[in-house]
Amino acid sequence: MEPPYAGIVYWRRSLWNGMRCVPVLLTLDEGRLRACDRHGAEVFAALAGRVEARGTIFGTMLLTVDGRRYALVGEGATVSPAPSAEQRRRLAEYMTRAEPVSDLASWWEPLARAGVAVR
């Protein structure tokens, strides 16, 4: 069984407005991929086998979850908010049992091993 993974990435909610690039806590645990926003609300959650991932030439990871696309980047824009105290606390909790994922590029291998369709 794969260990859990956790890290903070940025969800690019708009391609043009940097303030809409927000941090999400991304976790991969027991075959489920999940993202939570700054307030702890779930952005998406799905079994890894129901997720598709592809990269762009700009380093963006495009995840398709239940027909909806999410553009993730490793760093937010200069005007993007920082991860919230709640996100940092939850990440610290995960780190007691999860493998840290330091950057967006490091997510590809765990996602593929978990069954995400990587293109």
Side-chain angles (χ1 to χ4, degrees):
M1 175 168 268
E2 284 287 314
Y5 294 89
I8 302 236
V9 297
Y10 281 79
W11 174 24
R12 182 178 270 165
R13 297 180 66 179
S14 167
L15 295 176
W16 313 112
N17 184 348
M19 289 185 289
R20 291 188 47 99
C21 193
V22 296
V24 292
L25 174 61
L26 191 63
T27 58
L28 178 60
D29 193 5
E30 296 182 359
R32 281 189 73 74
L33 184 63
R34 183 172 184 225
C36 293
D37 70 11
R38 295 184 80 239
H39 307 289
E42 195 171 82
V43 175
F44 64 79
L47 292 173
R50 297 181 52 104
V51 177
E52 291 183 8
R54 75 176 181 87
T56 70
I57 61 172
F58 301 109
T60 301
M61 178 185 286
L62 299 175
L63 293 179
T64 303
V65 181
D66 294 326
R68 187 156 179 214
R69 191 174 79 179
Y70 300 89
L72 303 180
V73 293
E75 300 269 333
T78 56
V79 293
S80 297
S84 69
E86 172 70 9
Q87 284 175 312
R88 290 190 303 270
R89 183 190 64 74
R90 292 183 69 200
L91 179 60
E93 281 178 8
Y94 263 101
M95 289 301 96
T96 62
R97 62 183 181 86
E99 295 289 325
V101 184
S102 58
D103 58 19
L104 188 66
S106 300
W107 275 101
W108 290 99
E109 190 175 318
L111 290 175
R113 282 194 314 261
V116 170
V118 174
R119 302 187 284 150

